[in-house]
């Protein structure tokens, strides 16, 4: 398994090319699931777990992993399926989301595949696990379901979307009203948290659920005569999205003479150190890890100041 993950170090070559790598695995049956390799630190055989009192039903226990104690989530149970059968071979996928490390207990781990984001599609309406999927794809004519890990983690440990009172500059609240921001995110949890902060500041919110739709919206505004970099205070975009990711979206915006000056913030649960390095490569103006309302509010207020007081 370690040799499989040696290829992860090559992931930076995919940035801006609208490509991704998926780690594919099974739960109890034959259905294939996946998560983005960007979020994976390591894959190992399931170690011994210690139980925790008053734990969430989906948390199978904790384990000591590389000098730290991490929670282990039964990924199958967390998305409404039957718990992982520990009498069968099980694996632990160790991941990092929003600067926190956790393990997901799964069954058989299959392989890593390299794909284009335009091969990744939103989940169809009416699927039983729809609310726990961000996307689906096909590999050798088999459907692969891509799990919305942000939603899984938010249900186990809900994110606090409130803003600390001392973060808010009351003088800016009046100036913020009427300003507009475009949020681009395929995760309902990510959208809700980001929108909550913007609503509190009185900012008008536009939403697109993937990079392709966001680019279409931006180009339509431009075609209708809007000066988009002046219309929008900023665009806040996720990195991982079906059809077009946030990196490619940023590249497309920078290559359009009418859009190129748009202020763009990469807002993602992927590894902070990795994304900070990629901000320069694709041309984002800033980077922020998700689910940090105080930092998001601070960033937005700094942008308001730079726009309102620049003259």
């Amino acid at each position: 398994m370690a040799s499989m993950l040696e290829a992860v170090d090559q992931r930076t070559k995919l940035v801006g090319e609208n490509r991704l790598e998926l780690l594919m695995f099974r739960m109890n049956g034959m259905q294939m699931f996946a998560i983005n390799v960007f979020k994976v630190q390591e894959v190992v055989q399931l170690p011994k777990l210690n139980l925790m009192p008053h734990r969430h039903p989906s948390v199978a226990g904790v384990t000591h992993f590389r000098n730290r104690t991490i929670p282990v989530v039964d990924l199958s149970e967390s998305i409404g399926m039957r718990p992982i059968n520990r009498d069968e071979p099980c694996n632990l996928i160790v991941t990092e989301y929003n600067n926190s490390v956790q393990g997901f207990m799964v069954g058989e781990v299959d392989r890593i595949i390299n794909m284009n984001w335009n091969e990744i599609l939103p989940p169809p309406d009416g699927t039983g696990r729809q609310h726990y999927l961000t996307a689906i794809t096909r590999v050798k004519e088999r459907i692969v379901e891509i799990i919305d890990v942000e939603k899984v983690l938010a249900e186990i440990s809900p994110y606090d979307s409130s803003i600390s009172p001392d973060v808010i500059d009351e003088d800016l609240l009046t100036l913020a009203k009427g300003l507009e921001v475009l949020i681009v995110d395929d995760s309902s949890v990510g959208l809700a948290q980001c929108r909550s902060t913007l609503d509190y500041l009185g900012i008008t919110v536009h939403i697109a659920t993937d990079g392709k739709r966001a680019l279409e919206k931006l180009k339509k505004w431009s075609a209708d005569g809007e000066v988009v970099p002046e219309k929008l205070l900023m665009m806040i975009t996720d990195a991982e999205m079906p059809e077009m990711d946030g990196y490619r979206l940023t590249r497309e915006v920078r290559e359009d003479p009418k859009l190129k000056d748009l202020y763009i913030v990469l807002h993602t649960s992927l590894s902070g150190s990795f994304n900070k390095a990629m901000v320069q490569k694709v041309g984002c103006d800033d980077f922020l890890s998700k689910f940090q309302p105080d930092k998001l509010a601070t960033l937005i207020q700094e942008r308001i100041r730079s726009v309102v007081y620049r003259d």
Side-chain angles (χ1 to χ4, degrees):
M1 192 59 61
S3 61
M4 176 192 293
L5 293 179
E6 289 174 1
V8 174
D9 290 335
Q10 301 300 316
R11 65 193 186 182
T12 57
K13 297 179 181 178
L14 306 180
V15 171
E17 304 301 325
N18 208 40
R19 300 192 67 81
L20 77 158
E21 288 179 315
L22 293 175
L23 175 62
M24 295 169 46
F25 55 90
R26 294 182 175 87
M27 304 285 198
N28 291 301
M30 296 303 295
Q31 175 60 44
M32 196 70 72
F33 297 88
I35 60 174
N36 195 326
V37 169
F38 275 20
K39 296 174 177 174
V40 176
Q41 289 192 345
E42 195 162 349
V43 179
V44 296
Q45 286 189 335
L46 184 68
K48 179 181 178 181
L49 302 182
N50 297 310
L51 298 181
M52 297 186 304
H54 313 298
R55 69 187 187 279
H56 186 280
S58 296
V59 175
V62 297
T63 190
H64 197 63
F65 182 81
R66 299 199 180 281
N67 299 317
R68 68 192 303 171
T69 300
I70 64 170
V72 175
V73 177
D74 184 326
L75 193 52
S76 181
E77 187 171 9
S78 72
I79 64 172
M81 300 169 61
R82 61 188 174 90
I84 296 291
N85 181 4
R86 297 193 211 179
D87 293 331
E88 300 290 335
C90 299
N91 287 282
L92 185 70
I93 303 176
V94 181
T95 65
E96 180 180 354
Y97 285 78
N98 306 311
N99 300 311
S100 69
V101 177
Q102 55 281 309
F104 292 103
M105 180 170 62
V106 301
E108 176 190 359
V109 173
D110 187 72
R111 64 190 186 277
I112 288 174
I113 57 169
N114 187 311
M115 302 192 74
N116 194 300
W117 271 110
N118 62 23
E119 301 174 272
I120 311 297
L121 302 173
D125 293 336
T127 54
R129 291 184 290 276
Q130 176 191 0
H131 298 302
Y132 292 97
L133 305 179
T134 56
I136 62 169
T137 191
R138 286 183 178 272
V139 177
K140 295 183 178 179
E141 300 305 315
R142 295 191 60 182
I143 291 177
V144 178
E145 300 182 353
I146 303 172
I147 295 175
D148 186 349
V149 179
E150 289 177 8
K151 181 175 177 61
V152 169
L153 294 176
E155 291 187 352
I156 293 172
S157 180
Y159 299 112
D160 182 2
S161 61
S162 61
I163 306 171
S164 302
D166 58 350
V167 170
I168 298 298
D169 183 343
E170 296 294 339
D171 294 334
L172 282 181
L173 292 183
T174 301
L175 298 175
K177 294 188 185 303
L179 297 177
E180 301 176 50
V181 168
L182 173 61
I183 307 173
V184 191
D185 201 320
D186 63 324
S187 168
S188 59
V189 176
L191 281 173
Q193 186 271 323
C194 192
R195 181 161 199 162
S196 174
T197 301
L198 293 169
D199 285 346
Y200 183 87
L201 296 172
I203 291 175
T204 299
V205 175
H206 303 278
I207 286 176
T209 54
D210 61 58
K212 181 181 178 182
R213 289 182 174 89
L215 187 61
E216 289 170 351
K217 189 183 290 286
L218 293 170
K219 287 184 176 292
K220 183 178 187 307
W221 280 331
S222 182
D224 290 343
E226 299 268 16
V227 181
V228 175
E230 296 180 5
K231 173 184 176 65
L232 296 177
L233 179 70
M234 65 176 66
M235 176 173 72
I236 303 173
T237 181
D238 189 15
E240 299 178 87
M241 293 176 290
E243 299 197 82
M244 181 185 291
D245 68 14
Y247 303 114
R248 183 57 177 268
L249 169 61
T250 301
R251 171 183 280 187
E252 294 287 340
V253 169
R254 294 298 183 233
E255 292 178 353
D256 187 314
K258 294 183 178 180
L259 303 176
K260 65 183 180 64
D261 294 325
L262 179 62
Y263 194 90
I264 302 175
V265 176
L266 190 66
H267 188 230
T268 171
S269 59
L270 297 180
S271 168
S273 57
F274 172 75
N275 276 299
K276 288 175 183 176
M278 292 304 103
V279 163
Q280 272 191 315
K281 179 172 179 179
V282 298
C284 293
D285 294 286
D286 212 333
F287 162 80
L288 184 66
S289 294
K290 282 185 176 179
F291 310 118
Q292 300 185 79
D294 282 356
K295 290 187 177 181
L296 178 57
T298 298
L299 185 151
I300 292 169
Q301 290 177 113
E302 288 174 352
R303 177 62 180 159
I304 292 172
R305 290 188 190 96
S306 71
V307 170
V308 173
Y309 300 131
R310 64 187 170 191
D311 296 328

